[in-house]
Amino acid sequence: MSDFPGPVPIHGDSVQITTDTTSLTNTGSITSQGAVRDGRGFAELVLPDGDPQQRRDLERAKWFQYRLYDDGALLYSSPHLQVRETRRESDGALVVAGSP
């Protein structure tokens, strides 16, 4: 398992997210992917449209860490990431981006 996701998306069906203020579990179609913007690496976690409180919780967080699963098997465990961006996509998906 690597320390940072690559550019190829990793798809799972559940994720456990821990932040400095809360922890939550989300289920559904979830994607984790590395991205480079302005020469800086980011991990992007895309969650299905869900509780609006999740976005507020993630916006308030200073850092997050996540564990992505598919059918109970751990696919990826992130390092602690500083929250850099949270946004809603046009399809309602919640995207949280972080960097080490």
Side-chain angles (χ1 to χ4, degrees):
M1 196 174 313
S2 67
D3 289 335
F4 208 73
V8 176
I10 303 169
H11 301 283
D13 59 16
S14 67
V15 66
Q16 293 176 333
I17 303 171
T18 303
T19 76
D20 54 314
T21 58
T22 191
S23 63
L24 59 101
T25 299
N26 199 316
T27 59
S29 178
I30 300 162
T31 303
S32 173
Q33 183 172 350
V36 176
R37 291 191 301 265
D38 298 325
R40 185 173 206 177
F42 291 87
E44 290 191 341
L45 183 63
V46 182
L47 307 169
D49 187 14
D51 183 356
Q53 184 63 40
Q54 288 178 349
R55 188 185 97 238
R56 289 189 289 273
D57 288 343
L58 290 168
E59 284 176 337
R60 285 189 279 250
K62 294 184 188 313
W63 62 265
F64 71 106
Q65 182 176 20
Y66 63 95
R67 294 171 64 89
L68 179 63
Y69 297 88
D70 189 38
D71 200 23
L74 179 63
L75 298 177
Y76 180 74
S77 181
S78 79
H80 279 157
L81 301 167
Q82 184 175 1
V83 176
R84 299 292 182 179
E85 176 185 24
T86 56
R87 68 181 186 275
R88 285 277 181 199
E89 295 291 295
S90 60
D91 64 358
L94 174 62
V95 179
V96 60
S99 63

